[in-house]
Amino acid sequence: MAVVMEENANPMKFEKLFKVTPEMIDENKHMNNVWAVQWVQDISIAHSDSVGATDVMYQFGCGWMIHTQFVEYKNQAFLGDEIRGTTWVAGYSKVASVRKCRFERVSDGKVVFESETQWVLMDMKKGRPFAIPQEIKDRFQVK
């Protein structure tokens, strides 16, 4: 599904470190999948912030909303694991972007999970899709 690679401002790929903490552990003694979805959102926002796209989005009165999301779990993560997340924008349509993420355990390089999310840009006042301005697209290099 993906490609790979600490937190940086590379417009093509963005990396951020995460750590599995006690509140993330479920009754099966591993990180609950709810946290994977949270991390996808967290790294996506951090990437957008790092290249100034979030500010541009707010200037246009827009916000991203998830339309579809696919998460593939490959290995478990456990308490104390340090996980490197990598994300990039893979493509655009008129009102949507596809963002991919890959999360791997730092200690052994094993992929814990990968995701592909279609985000739709919404006009926050009208509640309808909004054509993605070139000023936002220009902040990311599409891979």
Side-chain angles (χ1 to χ4, degrees):
M1 166 191 259
V3 184
V4 18
M5 298 276 237
E6 274 154 266
E7 187 167 328
N8 62 28
N10 179 339
M12 182 172 292
K13 287 187 177 180
F14 179 84
E15 295 181 351
K16 182 176 175 63
L17 291 176
F18 295 85
K19 188 161 187 157
V20 180
T21 57
E23 69 274 7
M24 298 175 181
I25 302 300
D26 63 18
E27 60 277 353
N28 295 319
K29 307 290 187 236
H30 66 242
M31 185 179 91
N32 188 281
N33 64 325
V34 169
W35 292 97
V37 174
Q38 181 68 54
W39 286 3
V40 167
Q41 178 173 296
D42 293 349
I43 198 171
S44 299
I45 292 169
H47 185 201
S48 183
D49 290 350
S50 77
V51 297
T54 304
D55 291 337
V56 174
M57 175 189 71
Y58 290 147
Q59 289 170 9
F60 279 93
C62 300
W64 292 104
M65 294 190 174
I66 292 175
H67 180 249
T68 62
Q69 186 168 59
F70 173 78
V71 180
E72 182 176 5
Y73 300 95
K74 297 180 174 260
N75 288 288
Q76 297 177 22
F78 301 98
L79 182 63
D81 280 351
E82 191 171 57
I83 308 295
R84 177 180 293 111
T86 305
T87 188
W88 61 97
V89 175
Y92 292 104
S93 67
K94 183 177 181 179
V95 299
S97 73
V98 173
R99 176 179 286 279
K100 295 188 178 190
C101 297
R102 181 180 187 123
F103 292 82
E104 60 186 39
R105 191 174 17 253
V106 173
S107 64
D108 62 8
K110 286 190 176 185
V111 176
V112 177
F113 67 95
E114 295 176 316
S115 70
E116 181 173 306
T117 306
Q118 182 184 58
W119 297 83
V120 174
L121 192 62
M122 300 292 289
D123 181 312
M124 299 311 286
K125 288 184 181 166
K126 296 179 182 175
R128 293 188 298 194
F130 188 88
I132 302 169
Q134 193 62 43
E135 294 89 339
I136 291 177
K137 290 180 181 179
D138 289 346
R139 302 292 175 137
F140 303 98
Q141 295 174 7
V142 174
K143 177 164 173 107

